[in-house]
Amino acid sequence: MASLSMAPVNIFRHGADEEKAETARLSSFIGAIAIGDLVKSTLGPKGMDKILLGGGREATVTVTNDGATILKAIGVDNPAAKVLVDMSKTQDDEVGDGTTSVTVLAAELLREAELLISKKIHPQTIISGWRKATQVARDALREVAVDHGNDQVKFQQDLLNIARTTLSSKLLTHHKDHFSKLAVEAVLRLKGSGNLEAIHVIKKLGGSLTDSYLDEGFLLDKKIGVNQPKRMENVNILIANTGMDTDKIKIFGSRVRVDSTAKVAEIETAEKEKMKEKVDRILNHGINCFINRQLIYNYPEQLFAAAGVMAIEHADFAGVERLALVTGGEIASTFDPELVKLGHCKLIEEVMIGEDTLIHFSGVAMGKGRPCTIVLRGATQQILDEAERSLHDALCVSAQTVKETRIVYGGGCSEMLMAKVVTDLASRTPGKEAVAMESFAKALRMLPTIIADNAGYDSADLVAQLRAAHQDNKINSGLNMSDGTIGNMADLGITESFQVKRQVLLSAAEAAEMILRVDNIIKAAPRKRVPDHHPC
């Protein structure tokens, strides 16, 4: 019997690439750890910012320290790095904050896993130990969570503290008291609905960040038409997305031949009649304000002005959708009286912000809660963009905390607490799983270490002190980054949402486990470029 050839057989199409066993694992670890190292320096109240320079002709400049924004902007080719980027986006969508923490924790877990695998411990053993560690860490977090949901005064203070803690690592850190009040007031106006669409954020250049304020109404960044009333009370609003020019028969390349200019005038009159007919159909709804997503044109604008109706054209789509939500109307495109739902508000007037004129809707009554607008002022566009991102994080976390009222303490306090219970479990566990649990606790302890490093303090000393304090059952101890000491987080008011911390723990553990399971990376063959022999 002929012996089988020992030469490797390639079963993939030409151009496809395969990485096996150790190479694949190493490639995954390196990619994920590199992503963690990239955002690591932005963690904590003394974290640094990154400048992201966009490609293309109009190279946009973004200055940020928001983990999700940084990872969205960079194009990664490594599959494991893509997993971390997606996890960071999910964290941003789910809870709004903790995007950097979750990426750094996952990267630190994989850094520990790399050391364990080099000691010949099997990935499944590591995963088994990590799962048990995650469970006890989650239980410990649940036990220390404080709930002031029934005490309105204490809960409002918790919300302010959470918003302050979220903003302390952002650009707005020097004005965190001002912006945390804005965020909490805006979220409490929603009456627990948690629909952040009802909070409209407008950015206007000029002034300083402290000039930002909350307006109890809705602002639309548009101007009122010519010769139309600039102020109205008790308004019925029709919001539409319809073309106000004549519904011409648009035939490509068609021509109309006439034998006199009188015939041209007849065509124009017929077009005007069509326009007038549409305007009449709109006015039949008994409205006194018409807002259109598209252009209104001169002739219909004259008709609206003659009827004493305020007409606003070319309103941006996000503004129109939000306006429909807060006024209780619906966006219409056909004008059948039975199908159209009008919006209502008490007062519409023009207001000036900086050098711009905006339209202010006050007395808008949304079904549950009261909508509002936050006006941000700042010196440059980059500052305004970063302020909006920071405020968005604070709004998201506050809205989540209104739904899930439990809180935990920040400043590395929760991480050290979880690390302590995981270490205790490891000391009681026989076998190799205990080593995996130790590595999990070590990764958790890396978060306060990085926070201290970023502030320029001696992290080894501070984390050792913090560990000793937790062993001494001072469970509220954490890092006080203002003085570079260990402090009581409850007294300092450094609190975080339980939901955010739990999500960081679970997402990071799941993502690290997923990457650790990989032992083969197969890349598809790139698509060949075929020359186009049929140019149009």
Side-chain angles (χ1 to χ4, degrees):
M1 185 179 163
S3 62
L4 289 170
S5 167
M6 297 303 288
V9 180
N10 187 15
I11 58 170
F12 299 113
R13 189 183 291 178
H14 177 69
D17 188 23
E18 182 187 23
E19 292 177 12
K20 288 184 180 176
E22 288 303 309
T23 321
R25 203 167 279 134
L26 199 63
S27 163
S28 297
F29 288 164
I30 288 168
I33 291 167
I35 285 286
D37 288 344
L38 176 72
V39 294
K40 188 197 282 186
S41 62
T42 67
L43 191 67
K46 301 284 178 79
M48 306 301 277
D49 289 4
K50 310 262 182 227
I51 289 184
L52 309 171
L53 194 61
R57 222 176 290 165
E58 307 229 345
T60 52
V61 176
T62 309
V63 183
T64 184
N65 74 346
D66 180 49
T69 309
I70 295 166
L71 295 180
K72 261 184 229 165
I74 57 169
V76 288
D77 197 29
N78 185 290
K82 279 183 181 165
V83 169
L84 291 201
V85 172
D86 288 345
M87 175 189 65
S88 175
K89 281 182 195 166
T90 309
Q91 178 80 9
D92 197 30
D93 297 340
E94 284 291 312
V95 286
D97 194 26
T99 51
T100 308
S101 306
V102 75
T103 312
V104 170
L105 180 56
E108 289 302 328
L109 282 168
L110 290 169
R111 203 189 295 272
E112 293 299 321
E114 191 180 8
L115 297 172
L116 296 182
I117 283 176
S118 66
K119 292 177 184 172
K120 298 286 183 281
I121 296 175
H122 195 275
Q124 292 295 353
T125 310
I126 300 171
I127 287 166
S128 174
W130 279 3
R131 283 199 172 164
K132 289 174 184 170
T134 309
Q135 193 53 50
V136 292
R138 187 181 180 178
D139 293 343
L141 198 63
R142 198 181 291 126
E143 278 170 31
V144 295
V146 182
D147 192 349
H148 290 145
N150 300 324
D151 186 335
Q152 196 58 42
V153 179
K154 279 188 178 174
F155 181 59
Q156 194 156 345
Q157 190 56 47
D158 280 347
L159 278 178
L160 281 168
N161 286 341
I162 285 171
R164 267 195 216 107
T165 307
T166 303
L167 293 173
S168 65
S169 62
K170 314 278 182 200
L171 172 85
L172 303 176
T173 180
H174 300 301
H175 314 293
K176 61 185 175 197
D177 289 340
H178 177 64
F179 282 98
S180 57
K181 278 178 191 153
L182 288 188
V184 170
E185 193 181 330
V187 166
L188 290 177
R189 288 174 68 84
L190 299 179
K191 303 265 173 55
S193 74
N195 183 3
L196 293 178
E197 282 293 310
I199 301 172
H200 187 33
V201 179
I202 283 185
K203 300 177 287 187
K204 284 290 166 197
L205 276 170
S208 68
L209 283 168
T210 44
D211 295 336
S212 306
Y213 64 94
L214 183 134
D215 192 289
E216 297 188 1
F218 183 85
L219 284 163
L220 190 65
D221 198 352
K222 282 287 146 197
K223 290 186 176 67
I224 295 169
V226 184
N227 293 334
Q228 286 167 3
K230 301 288 188 236
R231 178 189 164 90
M232 277 194 160
E233 293 183 11
N234 297 326
V235 193
N236 291 330
I237 307 166
L238 175 58
I239 303 163
N241 183 8
T242 183
M244 291 302 292
D245 56 341
T246 54
D247 303 324
K248 299 187 188 84
I249 302 168
K250 296 180 175 72
I251 302 170
F252 183 66
S254 64
R255 289 180 183 178
V256 178
R257 287 195 175 177
V258 290
D259 49 15
S260 72
T261 51
K263 294 277 173 65
V264 177
E266 274 179 37
I267 292 170
E268 285 179 350
T269 310
E271 286 187 347
K272 278 193 169 183
E273 275 304 312
K274 273 192 163 184
M275 284 184 176
K276 190 171 188 313
E277 197 183 308
K278 194 165 200 175
V279 170
D280 288 342
R281 283 218 310 277
I282 291 167
L283 292 175
N284 283 344
H285 292 89
I287 58 164
N288 40 11
C289 178
F290 175 65
I291 299 170
N292 194 14
R293 166 86 182 81
Q294 300 177 34
L295 289 170
I296 292 181
Y297 300 98
N298 294 353
Y299 181 61
E301 198 168 58
Q302 286 171 22
L303 296 175
F304 283 125
V309 170
M310 182 189 287
I312 302 160
E313 64 177 3
H314 224 257
D316 62 309
F317 197 67
V320 165
E321 283 212 319
R322 202 176 261 120
L323 186 63
L325 171 81
V326 300
T327 57
E330 283 178 5
I331 299 173
S333 52
T334 55
F335 302 105
D336 189 344
E338 288 94 52
L339 302 175
V340 172
K341 190 178 175 190
L342 299 180
H344 305 281
C345 83
K346 286 178 184 161
L347 176 68
I348 299 181
E349 59 187 341
E350 276 195 335
V351 292
M352 289 281 289
I353 297 177
E355 295 175 358
D356 298 331
T357 311
L358 292 92
I359 304 166
H360 184 247
F361 297 78
S362 47
V364 281
M366 202 172 83
K368 189 180 181 188
R370 294 168 321 195
C372 60
T373 303
I374 295 175
V375 180
L376 291 177
R377 307 299 308 277
T380 68
Q381 195 58 46
Q382 284 80 18
I383 288 175
L384 281 177
D385 292 342
E386 180 63 359
E388 185 188 23
R389 282 189 288 270
S390 307
L391 191 64
H392 174 261
D393 283 4
L395 287 170
C396 283
V397 175
S398 303
Q400 285 291 336
T401 312
V402 168
K403 289 182 193 166
E404 164 60 272
T405 53
R406 286 179 287 180
I407 60 148
V408 290
Y409 294 110
C413 168
S414 307
E415 284 82 0
M416 290 307 279
L417 192 100
M418 290 190 281
K420 178 178 177 277
V421 293
V422 171
T423 308
D424 292 348
L425 176 68
S427 60
R428 298 194 304 273
T429 306
K432 287 182 179 177
E433 280 182 8
V435 186
M437 291 174 192
E438 282 285 355
S439 74
F440 195 91
K442 194 174 171 190
L444 281 168
R445 279 196 292 272
M446 279 308 291
L447 283 171
T449 308
I450 292 164
I451 290 171
D453 277 337
N454 286 346
Y457 297 124
D458 182 354
S459 59
D461 179 37
L462 281 174
V463 173
Q465 285 183 42
L466 188 55
R467 193 174 178 180
H470 276 272
Q471 285 296 340
D472 216 10
N473 275 336
K474 295 176 183 169
I475 58 169
N476 291 349
S477 297
L479 298 174
N480 176 359
M481 285 292 96
S482 304
D483 307 335
T485 56
I486 303 301
N488 186 326
M489 297 293 106
D491 298 344
L492 293 168
I494 299 174
T495 51
E496 291 190 50
S497 167
F498 168 74
Q499 179 92 339
V500 171
K501 271 279 176 272
R502 184 182 61 188
Q503 196 68 33
V504 165
L505 174 74
L506 299 181
S507 297
E510 282 172 12
E513 181 186 319
M514 185 178 165
I515 293 168
L516 188 55
R517 283 173 176 275
V518 172
D519 78 332
N520 236 8
I521 298 172
I522 301 161
K523 290 180 185 170
R527 217 167 66 191
K528 285 200 175 93
R529 287 198 170 186
V530 183
D532 188 2
H533 298 301
H534 305 285
C536 54

